[in-house]
PDB file of all heavy atoms in Angstrom:
ATOM      1  N   TYR M   4      52.793   9.125  -9.079  1.00  0.00           N
ATOM      2  CA  TYR M   4      53.476   8.358  -8.085  1.00  0.00           C
ATOM      3  C   TYR M   4      53.621   6.881  -8.460  1.00  0.00           C
ATOM      4  O   TYR M   4      54.599   6.225  -8.034  1.00  0.00           O
ATOM      5  CB  TYR M   4      52.832   8.534  -6.719  1.00  0.00           C
ATOM      6  CG  TYR M   4      52.952   9.942  -6.250  1.00  0.00           C
ATOM      7  CD1 TYR M   4      51.901  10.821  -6.291  1.00  0.00           C
ATOM      8  CD2 TYR M   4      54.198  10.439  -5.782  1.00  0.00           C
ATOM      9  CE1 TYR M   4      52.039  12.144  -5.895  1.00  0.00           C
ATOM     10  CE2 TYR M   4      54.288  11.763  -5.411  1.00  0.00           C
ATOM     11  CZ  TYR M   4      53.259  12.593  -5.432  1.00  0.00           C
ATOM     12  OH  TYR M   4      53.388  13.946  -5.017  1.00  0.00           O
ATOM     13  N   ASP M   5      52.788   6.284  -9.276  1.00  0.00           N
ATOM     14  CA  ASP M   5      52.908   4.937  -9.786  1.00  0.00           C
ATOM     15  C   ASP M   5      54.212   4.837 -10.579  1.00  0.00           C
ATOM     16  O   ASP M   5      54.875   3.812 -10.587  1.00  0.00           O
ATOM     17  CB  ASP M   5      51.690   4.458 -10.596  1.00  0.00           C
ATOM     18  CG  ASP M   5      50.402   4.321  -9.709  1.00  0.00           C
ATOM     19  OD1 ASP M   5      50.605   4.150  -8.456  1.00  0.00           O
ATOM     20  OD2 ASP M   5      49.311   4.454 -10.203  1.00  0.00           O
ATOM     21  N   LYS M   6      54.411   5.824 -11.428  1.00  0.00           N
ATOM     22  CA  LYS M   6      55.613   5.773 -12.275  1.00  0.00           C
ATOM     23  C   LYS M   6      56.820   6.457 -11.624  1.00  0.00           C
ATOM     24  O   LYS M   6      57.868   6.659 -12.262  1.00  0.00           O
ATOM     25  CB  LYS M   6      55.378   6.405 -13.580  1.00  0.00           C
ATOM     26  CG  LYS M   6      54.235   5.692 -14.433  1.00  0.00           C
ATOM     27  CD  LYS M   6      54.359   6.001 -15.841  1.00  0.00           C
ATOM     28  CE  LYS M   6      53.298   5.274 -16.617  1.00  0.00           C
ATOM     29  NZ  LYS M   6      53.531   3.888 -16.838  1.00  0.00           N
ATOM     30  N   ARG M   7      56.707   6.898 -10.362  1.00  0.00           N
ATOM     31  CA  ARG M   7      57.774   7.575  -9.642  1.00  0.00           C
ATOM     32  C   ARG M   7      58.240   8.794 -10.418  1.00  0.00           C
ATOM     33  O   ARG M   7      59.434   8.990 -10.666  1.00  0.00           O
ATOM     34  CB  ARG M   7      58.855   6.653  -9.347  1.00  0.00           C
ATOM     35  CG  ARG M   7      58.496   5.521  -8.340  1.00  0.00           C
ATOM     36  CD  ARG M   7      59.510   4.508  -8.003  1.00  0.00           C
ATOM     37  NE  ARG M   7      60.861   5.024  -7.980  1.00  0.00           N
ATOM     38  CZ  ARG M   7      61.955   4.375  -8.326  1.00  0.00           C
ATOM     39  NH1 ARG M   7      61.856   3.202  -8.771  1.00  0.00           N
ATOM     40  NH2 ARG M   7      63.107   4.904  -8.192  1.00  0.00           N
ATOM     41  N   MET M   8      57.313   9.687 -10.779  1.00  0.00           N
ATOM     42  CA  MET M   8      57.657  10.877 -11.591  1.00  0.00           C
ATOM     43  C   MET M   8      56.970  12.111 -10.860  1.00  0.00           C
ATOM     44  O   MET M   8      55.876  12.101 -10.380  1.00  0.00           O
ATOM     45  CB  MET M   8      57.032  10.773 -12.941  1.00  0.00           C
ATOM     46  CG  MET M   8      57.478  11.901 -13.936  1.00  0.00           C
ATOM     47  SD  MET M   8      56.343  13.344 -13.827  1.00  0.00           S
ATOM     48  CE  MET M   8      54.878  12.742 -14.336  1.00  0.00           C
ATOM     49  N   LEU M   9      57.829  13.163 -10.814  1.00  0.00           N
ATOM     50  CA  LEU M   9      57.424  14.376 -10.165  1.00  0.00           C
ATOM     51  C   LEU M   9      57.959  15.544 -11.008  1.00  0.00           C
ATOM     52  O   LEU M   9      59.151  15.597 -11.363  1.00  0.00           O
ATOM     53  CB  LEU M   9      57.842  14.516  -8.751  1.00  0.00           C
ATOM     54  CG  LEU M   9      57.358  15.771  -7.949  1.00  0.00           C
ATOM     55  CD1 LEU M   9      55.831  15.584  -7.678  1.00  0.00           C
ATOM     56  CD2 LEU M   9      58.048  15.828  -6.626  1.00  0.00           C
ATOM     57  N   ASN M  10      57.150  16.550 -11.448  1.00  0.00           N
ATOM     58  CA  ASN M  10      57.598  17.689 -12.215  1.00  0.00           C
ATOM     59  C   ASN M  10      57.271  18.867 -11.422  1.00  0.00           C
ATOM     60  O   ASN M  10      56.101  19.156 -11.056  1.00  0.00           O
ATOM     61  CB  ASN M  10      56.800  17.675 -13.547  1.00  0.00           C
ATOM     62  CG  ASN M  10      57.226  18.843 -14.427  1.00  0.00           C
ATOM     63  OD1 ASN M  10      58.197  19.487 -14.116  1.00  0.00           O
ATOM     64  ND2 ASN M  10      56.449  19.093 -15.475  1.00  0.00           N
ATOM     65  N   VAL M  11      58.332  19.624 -11.040  1.00  0.00           N
ATOM     66  CA  VAL M  11      58.149  20.860 -10.181  1.00  0.00           C
ATOM     67  C   VAL M  11      58.612  22.125 -10.900  1.00  0.00           C
ATOM     68  O   VAL M  11      59.519  22.029 -11.805  1.00  0.00           O
ATOM     69  CB  VAL M  11      58.908  20.694  -8.839  1.00  0.00           C
ATOM     70  CG1 VAL M  11      58.335  19.581  -8.043  1.00  0.00           C
ATOM     71  CG2 VAL M  11      60.409  20.512  -9.078  1.00  0.00           C
ATOM     72  N   LEU M  12      58.089  23.235 -10.552  1.00  0.00           N
ATOM     73  CA  LEU M  12      58.376  24.511 -11.145  1.00  0.00           C
ATOM     74  C   LEU M  12      59.223  25.313 -10.102  1.00  0.00           C
ATOM     75  O   LEU M  12      58.878  25.398  -8.940  1.00  0.00           O
ATOM     76  CB  LEU M  12      57.157  25.309 -11.465  1.00  0.00           C
ATOM     77  CG  LEU M  12      57.339  26.719 -11.956  1.00  0.00           C
ATOM     78  CD1 LEU M  12      58.051  26.810 -13.229  1.00  0.00           C
ATOM     79  CD2 LEU M  12      56.002  27.422 -12.080  1.00  0.00           C
ATOM     80  N   LEU M  13      60.378  25.917 -10.553  1.00  0.00           N
ATOM     81  CA  LEU M  13      61.190  26.686  -9.711  1.00  0.00           C
ATOM     82  C   LEU M  13      61.376  28.033 -10.373  1.00  0.00           C
ATOM     83  O   LEU M  13      61.458  28.123 -11.640  1.00  0.00           O
ATOM     84  CB  LEU M  13      62.589  26.054  -9.529  1.00  0.00           C
ATOM     85  CG  LEU M  13      62.497  24.707  -8.847  1.00  0.00           C
ATOM     86  CD1 LEU M  13      62.926  23.640  -9.744  1.00  0.00           C
ATOM     87  CD2 LEU M  13      63.384  24.717  -7.581  1.00  0.00           C
ATOM     88  N   LYS M  14      61.339  29.149  -9.548  1.00  0.00           N
ATOM     89  CA  LYS M  14      61.510  30.443 -10.060  1.00  0.00           C
ATOM     90  C   LYS M  14      62.502  31.238  -9.299  1.00  0.00           C
ATOM     91  O   LYS M  14      62.757  30.885  -8.114  1.00  0.00           O
ATOM     92  CB  LYS M  14      60.125  31.247 -10.065  1.00  0.00           C
ATOM     93  CG  LYS M  14      59.080  30.694 -10.995  1.00  0.00           C
ATOM     94  CD  LYS M  14      57.828  31.558 -10.964  1.00  0.00           C
ATOM     95  CE  LYS M  14      56.829  31.054 -11.969  1.00  0.00           C
ATOM     96  NZ  LYS M  14      55.584  31.884 -11.952  1.00  0.00           N
ATOM     97  N   PRO M  15      63.078  32.337  -9.830  1.00  0.00           N
ATOM     98  CA  PRO M  15      64.021  33.142  -9.037  1.00  0.00           C
ATOM     99  C   PRO M  15      63.315  33.795  -7.878  1.00  0.00           C
ATOM    100  O   PRO M  15      62.129  34.010  -7.891  1.00  0.00           O
ATOM    101  CB  PRO M  15      64.454  34.166 -10.028  1.00  0.00           C
ATOM    102  CG  PRO M  15      64.081  33.669 -11.432  1.00  0.00           C
ATOM    103  CD  PRO M  15      62.954  32.747 -11.182  1.00  0.00           C
ATOM    104  N   THR M  16      64.109  34.112  -6.868  1.00  0.00           N
ATOM    105  CA  THR M  16      63.619  34.786  -5.648  1.00  0.00           C
ATOM    106  C   THR M  16      64.351  36.131  -5.448  1.00  0.00           C
ATOM    107  O   THR M  16      65.205  36.452  -6.202  1.00  0.00           O
ATOM    108  CB  THR M  16      63.810  33.905  -4.417  1.00  0.00           C
ATOM    109  OG1 THR M  16      65.259  33.755  -4.181  1.00  0.00           O
ATOM    110  CG2 THR M  16      63.214  32.513  -4.554  1.00  0.00           C
ATOM    111  N   THR M  17      63.907  36.779  -4.419  1.00  0.00           N
ATOM    112  CA  THR M  17      64.584  38.069  -4.042  1.00  0.00           C
ATOM    113  C   THR M  17      65.952  37.737  -3.343  1.00  0.00           C
ATOM    114  O   THR M  17      66.745  38.742  -3.219  1.00  0.00           O
ATOM    115  CB  THR M  17      63.686  38.869  -3.089  1.00  0.00           C
ATOM    116  OG1 THR M  17      63.360  38.084  -1.955  1.00  0.00           O
ATOM    117  CG2 THR M  17      62.431  39.336  -3.795  1.00  0.00           C
ATOM    118  N   CYS M  18      66.221  36.572  -2.970  1.00  0.00           N
ATOM    119  CA  CYS M  18      67.438  36.235  -2.251  1.00  0.00           C
ATOM    120  C   CYS M  18      68.608  35.992  -3.258  1.00  0.00           C
ATOM    121  O   CYS M  18      68.366  35.415  -4.299  1.00  0.00           O
ATOM    122  CB  CYS M  18      67.286  35.020  -1.382  1.00  0.00           C
ATOM    123  SG  CYS M  18      66.128  35.221  -0.089  1.00  0.00           S
ATOM    124  N   ASP M  19      69.805  36.360  -2.827  1.00  0.00           N
ATOM    125  CA  ASP M  19      70.985  36.088  -3.629  1.00  0.00           C
ATOM    126  C   ASP M  19      71.287  34.595  -3.581  1.00  0.00           C
ATOM    127  O   ASP M  19      70.923  33.908  -2.622  1.00  0.00           O
ATOM    128  CB  ASP M  19      72.201  36.866  -3.135  1.00  0.00           C
ATOM    129  CG  ASP M  19      72.052  38.393  -3.353  1.00  0.00           C
ATOM    130  OD1 ASP M  19      71.390  38.729  -4.356  1.00  0.00           O
ATOM    131  OD2 ASP M  19      72.611  39.150  -2.574  1.00  0.00           O
ATOM    132  N   LYS M  20      71.949  34.096  -4.661  1.00  0.00           N
ATOM    133  CA  LYS M  20      72.292  32.697  -4.772  1.00  0.00           C
ATOM    134  C   LYS M  20      73.409  32.423  -3.756  1.00  0.00           C
ATOM    135  O   LYS M  20      74.416  33.074  -3.718  1.00  0.00           O
ATOM    136  CB  LYS M  20      72.817  32.475  -6.163  1.00  0.00           C
ATOM    137  CG  LYS M  20      73.175  31.046  -6.451  1.00  0.00           C
ATOM    138  CD  LYS M  20      73.533  30.882  -7.934  1.00  0.00           C
ATOM    139  CE  LYS M  20      74.176  29.576  -8.158  1.00  0.00           C
ATOM    140  NZ  LYS M  20      74.560  29.448  -9.585  1.00  0.00           N
ATOM    141  N   THR M  21      73.089  31.468  -2.861  1.00  0.00           N
ATOM    142  CA  THR M  21      74.060  31.053  -1.849  1.00  0.00           C
ATOM    143  C   THR M  21      74.072  29.462  -1.716  1.00  0.00           C
ATOM    144  O   THR M  21      73.197  28.835  -2.234  1.00  0.00           O
ATOM    145  CB  THR M  21      73.725  31.587  -0.490  1.00  0.00           C
ATOM    146  OG1 THR M  21      72.413  31.090  -0.092  1.00  0.00           O
ATOM    147  CG2 THR M  21      73.718  33.140  -0.487  1.00  0.00           C
ATOM    148  N   ILE M  22      75.104  28.988  -1.153  1.00  0.00           N
ATOM    149  CA  ILE M  22      75.240  27.497  -0.962  1.00  0.00           C
ATOM    150  C   ILE M  22      74.976  27.319   0.585  1.00  0.00           C
ATOM    151  O   ILE M  22      75.464  28.156   1.366  1.00  0.00           O
ATOM    152  CB  ILE M  22      76.583  27.021  -1.332  1.00  0.00           C
ATOM    153  CG1 ILE M  22      76.767  27.233  -2.809  1.00  0.00           C
ATOM    154  CG2 ILE M  22      76.812  25.550  -0.946  1.00  0.00           C
ATOM    155  CD1 ILE M  22      78.094  26.877  -3.399  1.00  0.00           C
ATOM    156  N   PRO M  23      74.288  26.343   1.039  1.00  0.00           N
ATOM    157  CA  PRO M  23      73.658  25.203   0.278  1.00  0.00           C
ATOM    158  C   PRO M  23      72.395  25.659  -0.439  1.00  0.00           C
ATOM    159  O   PRO M  23      71.677  26.555   0.035  1.00  0.00           O
ATOM    160  CB  PRO M  23      73.373  24.123   1.334  1.00  0.00           C
ATOM    161  CG  PRO M  23      73.156  24.918   2.568  1.00  0.00           C
ATOM    162  CD  PRO M  23      74.045  26.192   2.438  1.00  0.00           C
ATOM    163  N   PHE M  24      72.072  24.921  -1.451  1.00  0.00           N
ATOM    164  CA  PHE M  24      70.850  25.158  -2.190  1.00  0.00           C
ATOM    165  C   PHE M  24      69.736  24.400  -1.504  1.00  0.00           C
ATOM    166  O   PHE M  24      69.618  23.177  -1.685  1.00  0.00           O
ATOM    167  CB  PHE M  24      71.004  24.755  -3.651  1.00  0.00           C
ATOM    168  CG  PHE M  24      72.147  25.410  -4.359  1.00  0.00           C
ATOM    169  CD1 PHE M  24      73.142  24.714  -4.949  1.00  0.00           C
ATOM    170  CD2 PHE M  24      72.190  26.816  -4.449  1.00  0.00           C
ATOM    171  CE1 PHE M  24      74.138  25.362  -5.629  1.00  0.00           C
ATOM    172  CE2 PHE M  24      73.198  27.498  -5.086  1.00  0.00           C
ATOM    173  CZ  PHE M  24      74.192  26.755  -5.707  1.00  0.00           C
ATOM    174  N   VAL M  25      68.842  25.045  -0.791  1.00  0.00           N
ATOM    175  CA  VAL M  25      67.761  24.489  -0.135  1.00  0.00           C
ATOM    176  C   VAL M  25      66.535  25.319  -0.232  1.00  0.00           C
ATOM    177  O   VAL M  25      66.647  26.500  -0.699  1.00  0.00           O
ATOM    178  CB  VAL M  25      68.077  24.187   1.399  1.00  0.00           C
ATOM    179  CG1 VAL M  25      69.163  23.181   1.590  1.00  0.00           C
ATOM    180  CG2 VAL M  25      68.417  25.534   2.106  1.00  0.00           C
ATOM    181  N   HIS M  26      65.367  24.798   0.104  1.00  0.00           N
ATOM    182  CA  HIS M  26      64.178  25.571   0.102  1.00  0.00           C
ATOM    183  C   HIS M  26      64.272  26.695   1.161  1.00  0.00           C
ATOM    184  O   HIS M  26      64.623  26.454   2.317  1.00  0.00           O
ATOM    185  CB  HIS M  26      62.973  24.675   0.403  1.00  0.00           C
ATOM    186  CG  HIS M  26      61.649  25.448   0.431  1.00  0.00           C
ATOM    187  ND1 HIS M  26      61.127  26.082  -0.582  1.00  0.00           N
ATOM    188  CD2 HIS M  26      60.788  25.611   1.493  1.00  0.00           C
ATOM    189  CE1 HIS M  26      59.959  26.644  -0.312  1.00  0.00           C
ATOM    190  NE2 HIS M  26      59.741  26.377   0.952  1.00  0.00           N
ATOM    191  N   ARG M  27      64.091  27.935   0.738  1.00  0.00           N
ATOM    192  CA  ARG M  27      64.179  29.026   1.665  1.00  0.00           C
ATOM    193  C   ARG M  27      62.899  29.848   1.667  1.00  0.00           C
ATOM    194  O   ARG M  27      62.616  30.621   0.827  1.00  0.00           O
ATOM    195  CB  ARG M  27      65.352  29.935   1.165  1.00  0.00           C
ATOM    196  CG  ARG M  27      66.698  29.330   1.215  1.00  0.00           C
ATOM    197  CD  ARG M  27      67.785  30.072   0.649  1.00  0.00           C
ATOM    198  NE  ARG M  27      67.951  31.384   1.286  1.00  0.00           N
ATOM    199  CZ  ARG M  27      68.763  32.286   0.826  1.00  0.00           C
ATOM    200  NH1 ARG M  27      69.482  32.149  -0.303  1.00  0.00           N
ATOM    201  NH2 ARG M  27      68.845  33.431   1.451  1.00  0.00           N
ATOM    202  N   LYS M  28      62.132  29.596   2.730  1.00  0.00           N
ATOM    203  CA  LYS M  28      60.828  30.162   2.840  1.00  0.00           C
ATOM    204  C   LYS M  28      60.898  31.692   3.107  1.00  0.00           C
ATOM    205  O   LYS M  28      59.893  32.410   2.992  1.00  0.00           O
ATOM    206  CB  LYS M  28      59.984  29.505   3.851  1.00  0.00           C
ATOM    207  CG  LYS M  28      60.525  29.412   5.270  1.00  0.00           C
ATOM    208  CD  LYS M  28      59.631  28.597   6.148  1.00  0.00           C
ATOM    209  CE  LYS M  28      60.346  28.339   7.470  1.00  0.00           C
ATOM    210  NZ  LYS M  28      59.588  27.420   8.249  1.00  0.00           N
ATOM    211  N   ASP M  29      62.075  32.221   3.514  1.00  0.00           N
ATOM    212  CA  ASP M  29      62.219  33.611   3.793  1.00  0.00           C
ATOM    213  C   ASP M  29      62.350  34.455   2.503  1.00  0.00           C
ATOM    214  O   ASP M  29      62.292  35.693   2.497  1.00  0.00           O
ATOM    215  CB  ASP M  29      63.398  33.905   4.707  1.00  0.00           C
ATOM    216  CG  ASP M  29      64.753  33.361   4.114  1.00  0.00           C
ATOM    217  OD1 ASP M  29      64.735  32.245   3.624  1.00  0.00           O
ATOM    218  OD2 ASP M  29      65.732  34.124   4.136  1.00  0.00           O
ATOM    219  N   CYS M  30      62.542  33.790   1.386  1.00  0.00           N
ATOM    220  CA  CYS M  30      62.714  34.486   0.045  1.00  0.00           C
ATOM    221  C   CYS M  30      61.383  34.602  -0.666  1.00  0.00           C
ATOM    222  O   CYS M  30      60.572  33.649  -0.729  1.00  0.00           O
ATOM    223  CB  CYS M  30      63.703  33.635  -0.835  1.00  0.00           C
ATOM    224  SG  CYS M  30      65.328  33.436  -0.123  1.00  0.00           S
ATOM    225  N   LYS M  31      61.121  35.737  -1.257  1.00  0.00           N
ATOM    226  CA  LYS M  31      59.977  35.970  -2.002  1.00  0.00           C
ATOM    227  C   LYS M  31      60.189  35.607  -3.502  1.00  0.00           C
ATOM    228  O   LYS M  31      61.201  35.930  -4.065  1.00  0.00           O
ATOM    229  CB  LYS M  31      59.540  37.491  -1.989  1.00  0.00           C
ATOM    230  CG  LYS M  31      59.351  38.011  -0.576  1.00  0.00           C
ATOM    231  CD  LYS M  31      57.911  37.918  -0.215  1.00  0.00           C
ATOM    232  CE  LYS M  31      57.622  38.570   1.145  1.00  0.00           C
ATOM    233  NZ  LYS M  31      57.383  37.722   2.199  1.00  0.00           N
ATOM    234  N   ILE M  32      59.228  34.882  -4.088  1.00  0.00           N
ATOM    235  CA  ILE M  32      59.226  34.468  -5.435  1.00  0.00           C
ATOM    236  C   ILE M  32      58.997  35.685  -6.370  1.00  0.00           C
ATOM    237  O   ILE M  32      58.152  36.513  -6.143  1.00  0.00           O
ATOM    238  CB  ILE M  32      58.202  33.418  -5.744  1.00  0.00           C
ATOM    239  CG1 ILE M  32      58.410  32.160  -4.833  1.00  0.00           C
ATOM    240  CG2 ILE M  32      58.140  33.062  -7.206  1.00  0.00           C
ATOM    241  CD1 ILE M  32      59.709  31.417  -5.208  1.00  0.00           C
TER     242      ILE M  32
END
């Protein structure tokens, strides 16, 4: 946080790709 850096991991889910791209807690990783 001092250097304003964040590294996150994203993986595919059971949900189909839709717009808008937001965090979807109903989808299973």
Side-chain angles (χ1 to χ4, degrees):
Y4 293 104
D5 291 336
K6 295 197 180 290
R7 293 179 34 215
M8 185 276 297
L9 186 69
N10 181 12
V11 298
L12 175 64
L13 298 113
K14 292 184 179 182
T16 65
T17 55
C18 296
D19 291 331
K20 183 176 169 181
T21 59
I22 296 175
F24 302 122
V25 293
H26 178 63
R27 296 173 59 188
K28 58 185 172 189
D29 59 313
C30 301
K31 301 267 188 254
I32 298 293

